[in-house]
């Protein structure tokens, strides 16, 4: 039984941090200094749980940027990334945000395209990983 909790960094930090350390710092070798930033404290966070186990996370910044989307390796390929992104998108709609944008790792372009994001511009390097900007209008459709 999966459940998504959302809230502030203060509320969700232990669980979100656990997932991001595993995926970004250990798996992808992103330096810790690049993973943690001042945006965490002012972002809206989402954590997906399998029972009580945190297994996926994402954050939504005040500037409509979605970031730090991560699913633990053992849980990938089961649609859980889509599940947490649907929660982010629903929250953005409730807040009547006009659009969402994100910096996607190039290998994840099709994942985000399936959700309605469109590539903007050219790929660039971020922490040694090719990224590309993507954007999606938010409408009243559910």
């Amino acid at each position: 039984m999966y459940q998504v909790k959302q809230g502030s960094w203060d509320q969700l930090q232990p669980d979100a941090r656990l997932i991001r350390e595993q995926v970004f710092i250990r798996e992808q070798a992103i330096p810790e200094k690049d993973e943690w930033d001042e945006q965490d404290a002012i972002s809206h966070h989402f954590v997906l749980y399998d029972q009580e186990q945190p297994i996926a996370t994402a954050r939504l910044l005040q500037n409509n940027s979605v970031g730090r989307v991560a699913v633990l390796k053992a849980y990938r390929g089961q649609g859980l990334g889509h599940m947490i992104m649907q929660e982010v998108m629903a929250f953005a709609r409730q807040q009547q945000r006009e659009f969402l944008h994100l910096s996607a790792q190039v290998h994840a372009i099709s994942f985000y395209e399936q959700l309605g994001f469109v590539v903007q511009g050219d790929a660039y390097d971020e922490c040694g990983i090719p990224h590309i900007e993507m954007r999606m209008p938010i409408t009243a459709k559910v």
Side-chain angles (χ1 to χ4, degrees), residues 3 23 29 35 48-49 59-60 69-71 74 77 90-91 93-95 100-101 105-106 115 117 123 128 132 134 138:
Q3 175 194 3
V23 173
E35 177 56 29
L48 177 64
Y49 296 85
R59 74 179 186 185
L60 179 58
V69 179
V71 178
F91 178 80
R93 272 189 209 98
Q94 287 170 352
Q95 290 205 317
L100 290 175
H101 65 99
Q105 292 184 8
V106 167
L115 291 162
F117 284 84
I132 196 150
M134 298 188 79
I138 294 289

Side-chain angles (χ1 to χ4, degrees), residues 114-127:
Q114 290 169 18
L115 291 162
F117 284 84
V118 177
V119 167
Q120 307 275 293
D122 298 318
Y124 57 92
D125 182 87
E126 192 173 303
C127 299

Side-chain angles (χ1 to χ4, degrees), residues 9-140:
W9 185 237
D10 286 345
Q11 296 168 303
L12 296 174
Q13 177 179 0
D15 294 339
R17 183 178 276 272
L18 185 88
I19 297 160
R20 285 166 53 182
E21 281 175 351
Q22 186 66 42
V23 173
F24 297 124
I25 296 170
R26 293 197 189 113
E27 264 183 61
Q28 298 183 354
I30 291 173
E32 261 190 80
K33 68 176 177 51
D34 293 327
E35 177 56 29
W36 312 116
D37 61 24
E38 71 287 345
Q39 294 297 322
D40 278 324
I42 57 173
S43 295
H44 193 76
H45 294 266
F46 301 80
V47 177
L48 177 64
Y49 296 85
D50 179 5
Q51 312 297 333
E52 298 297 311
Q53 171 74 32
I55 59 172
T57 191
R59 74 179 186 185
L60 179 58
L61 281 63
Q62 292 171 340
N63 69 356
N64 299 333
S65 178
V66 180
R68 305 305 201 266
V69 179
V71 178
L72 291 180
K73 196 171 198 170
Y75 287 89
R76 290 183 198 146
Q78 302 175 39
L80 301 176
H82 277 260
M83 188 182 294
I84 200 160
M85 284 298 297
Q86 293 291 349
E87 290 283 330
V88 173
M89 292 156 53
F91 178 80
R93 272 189 209 98
Q94 287 170 352
Q95 290 205 317
Q96 298 180 328
R97 297 188 187 215
E98 291 181 28
F99 65 92
L100 290 175
H101 65 99
L102 51 83
S103 176
Q105 292 184 8
V106 167
H107 72 83
I109 289 173
S110 65
F111 167 80
Y112 291 110
E113 284 177 335
Q114 290 169 18
L115 291 162
F117 284 84
V118 177
V119 167
Q120 307 275 293
D122 298 318
Y124 57 92
D125 182 87
E126 192 173 303
C127 299
I129 299 168
H131 281 70
I132 196 150
E133 291 294 320
M134 298 188 79
R135 186 179 170 99
M136 170 190 167
I138 294 289
T139 61

